[in-house]
Amino acid sequence: MAETVKQENKMGVMPVNKLLITMALPMIVSMLVQAMYNIVDSIFVSRICEDALTAVSLAFPVQNLMIAVASGTGVGMNALLSRSLGAKNQEAANNAAKNGVFLTICSYLVFFIFGLIACGFFFRTQTDNAVIVQYGETYLSICSVCSIGMFMQMTFERILQATGRTFYTMITQSVGAVINIIMDPILIFGLFGAPELGIAGAALATVFGQIVACILAIIFNIKVNTDISLNFRSFRPQGRIIQQIYSVGIPSILMMSISSVMVYGMNRILLAFTSTATAVFGVYFKLQSFIFMPIFGLNNGMVPIIAYNYGAAKPDRITKTIKLAMTYAEILMLVGLAAFQFIPDVLLGFFNASADMLAIGEPALRTISWSYLIAGICIISSSTFQALGNGIYSLLVSFARQLIVLLPAAYLLSMTGNVNAVWWSFPIAEIASLTCSVIFMRQINKKIFVPLREAQNRKAA
């Protein structure tokens, strides 16, 4: 017989606005630190040369794929874990966490092998510039082979998030990011007696910060997370639980992986103009993370609340959470829109931008940022689908936005011969994303919220 959770988790009883802020604020702070680290990392790399910055930009699809696999597995694990806690089934929650850790280790081994044998080939499919290939192979091989820290950090942070302990994930992510920021200039430029490692130093600083954060996340789960037991004695992978994790996780992985395909395709389109255009695109992704990362932090706080209250059959708490999250997301997006519209030159200047980079980058940032007017609603909708066990909806929205609309639009606009026209593919794609999100949200209301409310009314009667 399954064990039971003796005490009601705060996700089922705390006022929704206070709960969302309590859950999300630590994650938003930690994500802002992560975004700062992403930006600072590229700022230091840009001081090596523009080819090094381009190499890091070209490496993004694989790095994003690693994050996609780790995050998607975590999303699936969290959805099952939170629902189990909401349904008062402790044993199922423990098994979800342990099988999630097992899947994370398996995922790391795949990228370990990739880092050993395939990095050079990956870069040669994008460019024949030998300098960029050399920089990229050095950087990406280190990030892939040593990615165990990133994989395990994300998994154990997800377990903390699922049980409402987001404050501790703020600590782990912040410490890892600060270590990375400190180590970047030391290892890249050889400060304080350290060897001057160039772009390899940037990669080593990244993985070192991830490993420290991973160790902290494991310690916090062992010491302070009383809602989950991570005893691996006599552990055996359970096919039924793995299937449940991946029923939500695989659509999430595929959804985030689509970004890798999109970036790879955009890099190929932009390289036809100039490598500087590709560097601009890479810089844009670093800058936009400062806007999107806090929203992802908001998502990380929102998802376990929705999943828990879904398991506890409390539809009113779910809908209120969604509305508040969309409001906060749109506020953040408007801040990003204002920054990209009014100070693009200042933002690009942080990356040692040349005159050519400024000429391409300023209209790029202004054009792409118009998509922010509706992007917040789309992001929150996508995470809502995942939290409610309908990850396929998120996958379809992302597929439509990035592969069916964005890349073809970018290619067609590139045929004008004007690189500035290519950036309009982003607002066009966001409109398609909003359309799909509205359609699927209506389906969610019909299939989930209406039956939940009917059951709630019958119970009250």
Side-chain angles (χ1 to χ4, degrees), residues 362-379:
E362 288 185 30
L365 297 188
R366 288 195 174 106
T367 301
I368 295 173
S369 62
W370 285 117
S371 64
Y372 292 3
L373 289 171
I374 55 178
I377 294 173
C378 298
I379 294 171

Side-chain angles (χ1 to χ4, degrees), residues 298-317:
L298 180 65
N299 278 346
N300 289 340
M302 177 194 74
V303 166
I305 298 173
I306 294 176
Y308 183 96
N309 286 284
Y310 181 32
K314 297 180 178 180
D316 291 340
R317 291 179 64 81

Side-chain angles (χ1 to χ4, degrees), residues 33 77 80 128 152 305 315 324 348 364 406 422 443:
V33 175
M77 176 188 68
L80 179 58
D128 56 2
M152 296 299 282
I305 298 173
L324 286 169
L348 291 165
L406 196 152
V422 175
Q443 290 297 311

Side-chain angles (χ1 to χ4, degrees), residues 96-366:
K98 288 186 283 189
N99 280 273
V101 173
F102 167 75
L103 294 174
T104 296
I105 294 172
C106 294
S107 300
Y108 159 68
L109 293 175
V110 173
F111 287 96
F112 173 83
I113 295 171
F114 172 87
L116 291 178
I117 64 176
C119 289
F121 171 78
F122 171 74
F123 279 93
R124 285 191 292 272
T125 64
Q126 298 182 84
T127 179
D128 56 2
N129 185 318
V131 176
I132 293 176
V133 171
Q134 182 179 0
Y135 276 132
E137 185 174 5
T138 300
Y139 179 82
L140 188 55
S141 61
I142 294 172
C143 289
S144 300
V145 169
C146 302
S147 61
I148 183 64
M150 183 273 293
F151 274 97
M152 296 299 282
Q153 173 193 351
M154 293 188 71
T155 297
F156 281 96
E157 285 175 350
R158 290 286 187 179
I159 296 173
L160 290 168
Q161 292 163 19
T163 56
R165 293 171 173 84
T166 53
F167 174 77
Y168 294 99
T169 62
M170 179 183 72
I171 295 175
T172 58
Q173 292 186 2
S174 298
V175 169
V178 169
I179 288 174
N180 193 337
I181 291 170
I182 294 172
M183 296 302 295
D184 257 333
I186 294 175
L187 296 179
I188 292 173
F189 304 114
L191 305 180
F192 308 115
E196 184 178 345
L197 300 176
I199 200 165
L204 289 170
T206 295
V207 299
F208 183 67
Q210 291 168 346
I211 289 171
V212 172
C214 163
I215 293 171
L216 281 176
I218 293 173
I219 291 172
F220 286 145
N221 271 286
I222 293 172
K223 297 293 185 182
V224 303
N225 195 348
T226 57
D227 287 326
I228 295 295
S229 173
L230 289 170
N231 186 345
F232 283 89
R233 289 177 184 173
S234 69
F235 167 76
R236 294 290 183 275
Q238 296 167 274
R240 179 181 59 82
I241 293 177
I242 290 173
Q243 182 180 10
Q244 288 178 299
I245 289 173
Y246 276 145
S247 67
V248 175
I250 286 180
S252 180
I253 291 170
L254 292 175
M255 182 181 66
M256 293 186 66
S257 300
I258 288 170
S259 296
S260 295
V261 177
M262 182 275 290
V263 171
Y264 181 86
M266 284 294 295
N267 285 338
R268 294 290 300 268
I269 290 170
L270 294 171
L271 280 167
F273 290 96
T274 170
S275 62
T276 300
T278 306
V280 165
F281 188 51
V283 166
Y284 161 72
F285 259 89
K286 299 295 183 179
L287 289 171
Q288 62 97 32
S289 70
F290 206 71
I291 305 301
F292 281 79
M293 282 291 196
I295 297 179
F296 295 150
L298 180 65
N299 278 346
N300 289 340
M302 177 194 74
V303 166
I305 298 173
I306 294 176
Y308 183 96
N309 286 284
Y310 181 32
K314 297 180 178 180
D316 291 340
R317 291 179 64 81
I318 298 173
T319 54
K320 189 169 183 180
T321 300
I322 295 169
K323 290 176 181 178
L324 286 169
M326 285 185 175
T327 300
Y328 294 142
E330 281 300 299
I331 291 171
L332 289 169
M333 281 297 185
L334 289 175
V335 172
L337 174 64
F340 279 34
Q341 290 295 320
F342 295 117
I343 55 168
D345 53 334
V346 175
L347 298 175
L348 291 165
F350 290 136
F351 297 87
N352 201 28
S354 63
D356 286 343
M357 184 177 286
L358 287 171
I360 295 174
E362 288 185 30
L365 297 188
R366 288 195 174 106

Side-chain angles (χ1 to χ4, degrees), residues 9 61 68-69 87 101-102 120 177 206 234 327 334 341 385 392 419 424 433 457:
N9 191 287
V69 173
V101 173
F102 167 75
T206 295
S234 69
T327 300
L334 289 175
Q341 290 295 320
F385 302 149
I392 189 66
V419 70
W424 282 105
S433 177
N457 290 337

